[in-house]
Amino acid sequence: MELLQHWLNVRPHRSPSQQVRCCILYQLKLLEQIQGKLRGCTLFITGASRGIGKAIALKAAKDGANIVIAAKTGVPHRTLPGTIYTAAEEIEAAGGKALPCIVNVREEDQIVDAVNKAVQTYGGIDVLVNNASAISLTGTLETATKKVDLMMSANTRGTYLTSKICLPYLRKSKIGHILNISPPINLNPVWFRNHCAYTISKYGMSMCVLGMAEEFRGEVAVNALWPQTAIYTSAMDMLGGAGVEKQCRKTDILADAAYCILTKPKNFTGNFVIDENLLREEGVKNFDVYAVAPGHPLLPDFFLDVDPETLAMKMEAHGASPVFREGKKQDLSKHEGPDKTKAEGPERGKHHVHFAAEKSGGPVVETFKIIKGAINEEIVKSIQGVYQFELSGEEGGTWYIDLKSKGGSAGSGEPPGKVDVIMSMSSSDFVKMFSGKLKPTMAFMSGKLTIKGDMALAIKLEKLMGQFNAKL
């Protein structure tokens, strides 16, 4: 009302018709504010049937936007929630319009068909969100060629192709934005060491930002968005195991950050935006509203270098036990391992067991005793995997848990039969992990734990750890 009064008082001797005109202009301005900045805009969002893509779609739908749901899931998945049709119902309930399209971003024809439908239905495309992505956190030798092809074609190639096909329409739009859900390009080797193929594929998406932002500067804004912390989605649930959701934020934070980017002018381009940083700049102060478990320490996301000491202090303030503070003892012991058991002089060349097997009563020995006592036929039947542990430090050496053979077993030395998963870490971290003081997800993401082999079986073991925690 203050704005209306101002307009009417600028010229106190306005005629009645001029005052009516002012009222109409005021109502139009107010309606624009109520309806939102993306009202009537068309957003083409890949992977929008669930997770981050759907959250961004719902945020725009509240403005009255048109959403093209370009995703693969047309029928319910056996484990993952949502289809393009259930997402469409949610979008329309939120106030938007929805066009569900079956799209595998690896298939150019499907992208072209969906773009044509979008243009025919809504008259053009204003925003493209490249969210669809594939992930396999496996090492070079453990990543099957078909997995490499999947990540490269869905992440890098899919982003490039979808952008290329949408660009003719984006260039005609007054808004004209491309937003890739991809990280800043961090060349720290730690982000390549454990999952080289995945990192290459995600950085490919980010390189599209670098190239296209410059190529289409002034015509189309091209930016990347990445979370400061882990985001709780179905994928994170599978990767992180039980309890990981408490260490995550909700998809709402990325939706809000995406909205801020997409409502900026075209000259905001070529940026690698971190959600929390942007929202702080926009005036957001309370980030607990985004947390799945407010007050609980949060996992930093991949590709962001977080100062370990700072992170440890934050986690300890919330009663967590961070993996970063092992002190001088670990710094010295991390270089020790099976080699220290080699004999000198005339005994060299003979076979020797590791010291860990000769000692009794150490933390690792006691942990394996408890694990062995907890194994039963039901656990073996549900897991069906053989795990080998390469431990460094005190009680370092090779250990195993056999949850495939009849009755199961656990102990020191090489495991019987074929190994499905190899986990390497310090002996102190191993004890912490099985006693519940160290989350396997945090250990893996911080580089304290390396995993080779069947990642699905590794996740199964993590879920099983909860049963051991109470006994350790």
Side-chain angles (χ1 to χ4, degrees), residues 44 46 68-74 84 100-118 157 161-162 165-166:
F44 191 103
T46 65
V68 183
I69 309 164
K72 293 191 302 180
T73 311
I84 59 173
C101 297
I102 295 288
V103 176
N104 181 344
V105 294
R106 302 170 71 190
E107 303 295 335
E108 184 175 7
D109 290 346
Q110 292 184 19
I111 302 171
V112 170
D113 288 346
V115 168
N116 288 338
K117 288 178 183 176
R157 183 176 178 272
L161 269 183
T162 309
I165 295 165
C166 288

Side-chain angles (χ1 to χ4, degrees), residues 272-285:
F272 290 89
V273 179
I274 303 302
D275 58 356
E276 182 176 324
N277 295 347
L278 175 64
L279 292 174
R280 286 191 186 279
E281 291 173 4
E282 296 290 327
V284 176
K285 295 181 180 179

Side-chain angles (χ1 to χ4, degrees), residues 153-327:
S153 58
N155 301 358
T156 301
R157 183 176 178 272
T159 294
Y160 183 91
L161 269 183
T162 309
S163 300
K164 177 183 177 182
I165 295 165
C166 288
L167 269 164
Y169 305 101
L170 294 169
R171 294 172 78 181
K172 296 176 183 177
S173 170
K174 292 181 180 179
I175 295 175
H177 271 269
I178 294 176
L179 181 62
N180 295 351
I181 307 302
S182 65
I185 299 175
N186 185 343
L187 296 182
N188 186 333
V190 70
W191 300 117
F192 292 84
R193 182 178 63 195
N194 296 329
H195 38 75
C196 187
Y198 173 66
T199 297
I200 292 171
S201 70
K202 290 303 289 187
Y203 283 7
M205 295 176 69
S206 299
M207 292 174 78
C208 287
V209 172
L210 283 176
M212 293 179 188
E214 195 61 34
E215 184 177 0
F216 299 100
R217 187 173 294 276
E219 295 183 285
V220 178
V222 187
N223 296 287
L225 174 62
W226 195 248
Q228 177 73 40
T229 70
I231 301 297
Y232 186 57
T233 62
S234 301
M236 191 64 192
D237 205 19
M238 290 190 295
L239 292 170
V244 73
E245 69 277 3
K246 293 180 180 178
Q247 303 173 68
C248 299
R249 282 176 172 159
K250 294 177 283 189
T251 54
D252 295 352
I253 189 169
L254 279 175
D256 286 354
Y259 185 88
C260 289
I261 294 170
L262 299 177
T263 54
K264 289 183 180 293
K266 289 182 181 181
N267 60 7
F268 185 83
T269 189
N271 300 288
F272 290 89
V273 179
I274 303 302
D275 58 356
E276 182 176 324
N277 295 347
L278 175 64
L279 292 174
R280 286 191 186 279
E281 291 173 4
E282 296 290 327
V284 176
K285 295 181 180 179
N286 179 16
F287 286 85
D288 279 348
V289 296
Y290 295 118
V292 174
H296 197 282
L298 298 167
L299 276 174
D301 207 348
F302 278 24
F303 309 116
L304 303 178
D305 287 343
V306 179
D307 173 57
E309 189 68 16
T310 301
L311 180 60
M313 289 174 65
K314 289 182 178 178
M315 293 181 69
E316 286 175 344
H318 290 89
S321 179
V323 302
F324 307 110
R325 288 183 175 167
E326 298 303 322

Side-chain angles (χ1 to χ4, degrees), residues 337-343 347 349-359 395-399 411-414:
D339 287 347
K340 70 177 181 179
T341 66
K342 290 182 180 178
E347 295 297 305
K350 292 183 180 181
H351 294 290
H352 288 262
V353 296
H354 300 311
F355 288 150
E358 297 171 3
K359 294 181 179 180
E395 299 183 272
T398 300
W399 300 79
S412 63
E414 299 288 338

Side-chain angles (χ1 to χ4, degrees), residues 447-463:
K448 298 291 184 180
L449 166 66
T450 60
I451 301 174
K452 295 182 179 180
D454 191 326
M455 188 60 70
L457 279 175
I459 293 169
K460 275 190 175 183
L461 181 64
E462 179 176 354
K463 293 180 178 179

Side-chain angles (χ1 to χ4, degrees), residues 2 23 35 44 63 83 102 126-127 131 161 184 215 239 271 302 337 364-365 369 397 404 407 422 436-438 450:
E2 291 179 1
C23 289
Q35 290 175 336
F44 191 103
D63 273 10
T83 68
I102 295 288
D126 300 291
V127 171
N131 166 70
L161 269 183
E215 184 177 0
L239 292 170
N271 300 288
F302 278 24
V364 173
V365 172
K369 283 182 180 179
K404 183 180 285 185
I422 300 175
K437 296 177 181 177
L438 168 61
T450 60

Side-chain angles (χ1 to χ4, degrees), residues 374-443:
I375 295 173
N376 56 45
E377 286 292 349
E378 184 180 346
I379 289 174
V380 172
K381 185 177 179 181
S382 65
I383 301 296
Q384 286 295 291
V386 177
Y387 302 85
Q388 180 173 313
F389 298 88
E390 295 296 337
L391 304 183
S392 62
E394 293 183 20
E395 299 183 272
T398 300
W399 300 79
Y400 74 90
I401 300 176
D402 177 9
L403 299 178
K404 183 180 285 185
S405 303
K406 185 176 180 180
S409 62
S412 63
E414 299 288 338
K418 180 184 175 184
V419 176
D420 298 299
V421 181
I422 300 175
M423 297 184 176
S424 302
M425 63 194 312
S426 73
S427 56
S428 59
D429 284 341
F430 172 84
V431 174
K432 287 180 182 180
M433 193 167 73
F434 273 84
S435 62
K437 296 177 181 177
L438 168 61
K439 287 286 185 181
T441 308
M442 176 63 83

